[in-house]
Amino acid sequence: MFSLAPRSVLRQARTQFRLSQPTVVPQYSAIARLLSTLAVLEQRDGKLSVQSLATVAAGQKIGGSVTGLVAGSGAKAVAEAAAKVKGVEKIIYIENGAYDRGLPENWAPLLVENVKKGGFTHLIAAHGAFGKSLLPRVAALLDSQQISDVTGVESEDTFVRPIYAGNAILTVQSLDPIKILTVRGTAFPTPETEGGSAAVEEGVDPKVESPTEWLSEDLAKSDRPDLGSAERVVSGGRGLKSKEEFDRLIPPLADALGAAIGASRAAVDSGFADNSLQVGQTGKNVAPQLYLCAGISGAIQHLAGMKDSKVIAAINKDPEAPIFQVADVGLVGDLFEKVPELTEKLKAQ
Amino acid sequence: MSGLRILVPVKRVIDYAVKPRVNRAQTAIETANVKHSMNPFDELSIEEAVRLRERKVPVEEIVAFTAGPAKAQDILRTAMAMGADRGIHVQIDESNNKDSSPAALEPLGVAKLLKKVVEEQKSNLVILGKQAIDDDAGQTGQMLAGLMGWAQATQASKVEIEGDTVTVTKEVDGGVEKVRAKLPMVITTDLRLNEPRYASLPNIMKAKKKPLEKRSLADFGDVDVAPRLRTVRVTEPPPRKGGVKVEDVDGMIAKLKELGAL
C-alpha cells in the first residue's frame, strides 16, 4: 500500500513518524525500507568533483531516492549543473561562502541538520581528504558508526570494504538507523553528467561558526591527468635512486602514455616525488586500466593502493620482488636502460 | 594558559610487516601468535607530543592511553619509553567479542570512551594517528572532536603551537593546506609529521617505573560501546591471475597490447 503512494507523501509520512518518535526508528519496519540517500557533492571553483559523483552511483545501488548536496559560494549555479547528473532526484544547495574551505567544524552541523530535515537513511561522501575529515564528525553527532572506504554495496545495510591494507575484505552489516559511508571513487562507475533533471531546492543552513580558521593551501599544479581518476598511471619507486633520475625517466614515460604520475612511499620519503603522488595504504588508491611501475618492490602497503588496477606492468631488476606476484607483465631488468627504451618505443608508435 | 595536557591514544595492532591471514571460519583475521606492535601512526603521535616538549612548548603532561586486551600494556610501556609521562589502560576482554573483528571496540565507542578520559584528565590537546592499520577506518579523532565540539585538524604534517594558538599543516588531496585554531583541539597525524625515535634501553628501563593505571570500562560510567556493526564475513581479496615475465621491452609492449592496455 505504501509503495503505491507518491514519494512526497511517503517522505512526509516518514518525517512525521520521525518527529513523533525522535529517538528510535525500528530497524525492519516498513518505514525503514523507504530508503533515501543524501550524497555530498564536492565542488571547487564552481566545478563538481568527478570523484564525489561516485556517491551518486553508490546511492543508486542502495536503492531509494538520491539527493545531492552542494554548499559554498556559487552553490546555486553548481546545483543547476548537478541537477543534470543522471540518477539524482533532487539537489539541495546552501549558498554560503563559509563552506568554501570544507571545514568540518561548520560542515558537520550543516550535514546533520539537512540529514534530519530530509529524514535521510543514508549519508554518503567520497573517501577523499574532505570526506575522511568530515564524515566521522557527522557520524559522531548522529550517533552512528560510519563505514569507511566502501567498495561494494550488498544491500541497504550491508557493505563491503577492505581492511588490513586491502589484505582482507570485510562484509559488514550496520545496525544504525542512519548509515554513514565514505565510498571509494574507483569502485563505483561515474554517472552521466548530462540528461538528468533533478529538482533544485535550498537546504537548511544552521550557520554554525567554525573554531578553525583556514589560512592557506599549496596544491601541486599539474597538466597531467589526476592520479585518482587517470586511465593510466606510471609510478616510480626507490629504485630510481634520486629526484633527478625520477624527473628524468618517469615524466617522459607518463607523457608517452598520457598517464598520471604516481610514486611509492619510499620515493616520496626520499624526496623524489611530491607527497600527493603517493600510491598505497596511506596515500591514494588507484584502479587505472594500466599501472606501470618501475623500481617498486611491491610492499603490501603499496599493493593496497594499486592492486585493483586492470593491468599491472612492472620493471624491476630483482626477479624475486613481490611486485612480480601481482604484475600481469613483468620485465626483469635495469630500469635505467629499460624505461628510456620503453619511452622511445612507445613514442615511435 | 598553564600548559599543554596532551592525551595520546594508542592502539595495539598486527605489526605492519606481517601479512594478515583470514581465519578458516571467515570471521576474522588470525591474531594468535602473530607479532603485534603499536599502530605506526600512533608512534608519530607520541613522537610529536614529546617533540613539542623538547621545543620548549610548555607541556604539563603527556598521557598515553589504550583500550584493549591485557597485552596492550606493552605498547603503553613503549609509549612511555618514547617519552610519555604515564599510561592509562582500559582492559577490554576481547574474548566476549569474538566476531566483531577486526577490533573489539569500534571507533565510535572508542571516541565516546576518550571523551570521558579527556574530561577526567582535563586534556586540552589530543593527538591521534590518522588511522589504525588494521581496520583502516580513520574515524576516531574526528569523532572525538565532534563529541567534544572541539576544533580538529586531520592528517597533520606540521604542528606549530604558540600560546593557545595551534597552526597545523594538513595533507589534502593534491597538496597541503594550513589551518589555525585555538586550544583545545584534536589533531591526527600523517606519516610526514615526523620520524619516531627508537626507545633506548635506559628509557625502556625507566618506562617500567612510570605509572600505568589499570582501569575498566565500568570506571567510566555509562559509556555506550556496544558494537553497531556486525561482521558478515571476512574473505581473502580475489587473487590476481598469475602474470608472465617478458624478455625485453618489445615483449612488454606486445603483451600490453595483447591485454588491451595500450
Side-chain angles (χ1 to χ4, degrees), chain A residues 18-60:
Chain A
R18 284 263 162 101
L19 288 176
S20 62
Q21 290 190 13
T23 46
V24 189
V25 175
Q27 194 70 33
Y28 297 106
S29 72
I31 308 284
R33 264 180 255 132
L34 302 175
L35 309 171
S36 59
T37 296
L38 185 64
V40 182
L41 300 178
E42 296 170 40
Q43 61 136 338
R44 190 168 192 95
D45 305 326
K47 276 183 76 182
L48 271 182
S49 121
V50 175
Q51 265 154 321
S52 71
L53 291 175
T55 57
V56 174
Q60 282 182 290

Side-chain angles (χ1 to χ4, degrees), chain A residues 166-341:
Chain A
N167 282 288
I169 307 297
L170 171 69
T171 304
V172 77
Q173 183 186 25
S174 167
L175 310 174
D176 283 316
I178 302 175
K179 279 91 177 157
I180 299 183
L181 322 171
T182 56
V183 296
R184 184 177 288 197
T186 54
F188 295 90
T190 308
E192 285 176 46
T193 51
E194 290 297 331
S197 57
V200 173
E201 70 178 52
E202 203 169 352
V204 273
D205 186 355
K207 294 197 174 112
V208 173
E209 251 184 71
S210 170
T212 305
E213 181 192 351
W214 187 92
L215 295 180
S216 63
E217 70 185 356
D218 184 8
L219 302 182
K221 291 197 177 53
S222 169
D223 299 330
R224 293 203 175 77
D226 169 57
L227 180 56
S229 52
E231 289 275 294
R232 293 169 180 177
V233 173
V234 170
S235 209
R238 198 201 303 269
L240 283 149
K241 294 206 166 67
S242 70
K243 178 167 170 45
E244 289 67 36
E245 294 294 342
F246 192 100
D247 290 344
R248 186 172 71 85
L249 296 177
I250 298 297
L253 178 57
D255 289 342
L257 285 164
I261 295 180
S264 70
R265 183 179 167 203
V268 169
D269 280 353
S270 311
F272 302 175
D274 189 75
N275 291 345
S276 60
L277 301 185
Q278 188 186 321
V279 172
Q281 184 184 20
T282 60
K284 285 211 174 63
N285 278 298
V286 300
Q289 294 294 314
L290 171 64
Y291 187 84
L292 204 169
C293 60
I296 289 180
S297 64
I300 57 176
Q301 290 80 10
H302 186 75
L303 300 183
M306 46 66 87
K307 67 180 174 188
D308 294 327
S309 306
K310 190 140 186 296
V311 174
I312 297 173
I315 302 175
N316 201 302
K317 68 176 179 207
D318 174 11
E320 303 301 321
I323 191 74
F324 288 123
Q325 290 165 20
V326 301
D328 300 284
V329 189
L331 175 58
V332 179
D334 182 0
L335 68 91
F336 293 103
E337 287 168 22
K338 302 297 180 189
V339 171
E341 187 188 342

Side-chain angles (χ1 to χ4, degrees), chain B residues 12-259:
Chain B
R12 178 179 180 265
V13 298
I14 290 185
D15 191 85
Y16 74 93
V18 174
K19 188 171 162 50
R21 303 266 171 222
V22 174
N23 69 10
R24 218 174 268 172
Q26 296 202 327
T27 54
I29 294 293
E30 285 291 356
T31 54
N33 304 318
V34 174
K35 186 186 174 197
H36 283 68
S37 45
M38 192 192 298
N39 180 41
F41 293 101
D42 302 345
E43 291 182 0
L44 300 163
S45 317
I46 294 279
E47 178 67 29
E48 194 61 21
V50 175
R51 285 191 190 190
L52 285 171
R53 173 180 276 157
E54 289 170 351
R55 289 206 300 261
K56 307 288 179 218
V57 175
V59 173
E60 213 173 287
E61 192 175 42
I62 301 169
V63 179
F65 171 90
T66 198
K71 281 183 181 161
Q73 276 184 25
D74 297 353
I75 64 160
L76 279 183
R77 292 287 174 204
T78 307
M80 290 191 275
M82 288 173 72
D85 301 314
R86 59 189 175 92
I88 302 174
H89 176 215
V90 172
Q91 190 159 334
I92 307 288
D93 188 4
E94 292 190 341
S95 60
N96 290 339
N97 229 324
K98 265 198 180 120
D99 38 37
S100 66
S101 161
L105 288 180
E106 291 168 356
L108 184 63
V110 176
K112 287 176 178 176
L113 179 58
L114 284 173
K115 178 173 189 279
K116 300 264 184 185
V117 176
V118 163
E119 285 163 355
E120 184 191 88
Q121 301 293 323
K122 300 187 171 54
S123 316
N124 55 9
L125 178 64
V126 185
I127 310 179
L128 306 90
K130 75 165 178 181
Q131 76 195 66
I133 59 163
D134 51 4
D135 64 11
D136 282 333
Q139 302 169 357
T140 310
Q142 297 90 303
M143 286 181 157
L144 174 65
L147 294 175
M148 299 299 300
W150 287 7
Q152 69 178 58
T154 48
Q155 300 188 217
S157 59
K158 193 173 181 194
V159 176
E160 296 153 285
I161 300 187
E162 236 186 274
D164 62 351
T165 304
V166 186
T167 308
V168 181
T169 306
K170 302 169 52 185
E171 298 282 326
V172 294
D173 301 340
V176 294
E177 143 185 309
K178 223 181 221 187
V179 295
R180 182 164 63 199
K182 295 246 190 252
L183 291 172
M185 103 180 267
V186 173
I187 295 174
T188 73
T189 62
D190 199 86
L191 278 175
R192 240 62 58 185
L193 183 58
N194 59 45
E195 188 83 33
R197 70 196 61 194
Y198 288 101
S200 67
L201 190 58
N203 284 340
I204 291 171
M205 300 313 286
K206 272 186 224 160
K208 290 188 175 165
K209 297 206 179 73
K210 288 184 179 178
L212 195 162
E213 205 182 323
K214 290 177 197 168
R215 306 284 293 273
S216 74
L217 268 179
D219 295 345
F220 295 93
D222 55 347
V223 51
D224 165 26
V225 296
R228 307 294 187 80
L229 304 178
R230 194 180 71 80
T231 298
V232 177
R233 65 185 164 273
V234 178
T235 55
E236 302 270 358
R240 287 192 71 94
K241 278 194 214 108
V244 293
K245 282 202 179 128
V246 291
E247 290 301 312
D248 52 22
V249 166
D250 291 321
M252 179 171 250
I253 292 173
K255 187 71 194 164
L256 288 176
K257 278 194 175 150
E258 190 189 315
L259 292 168

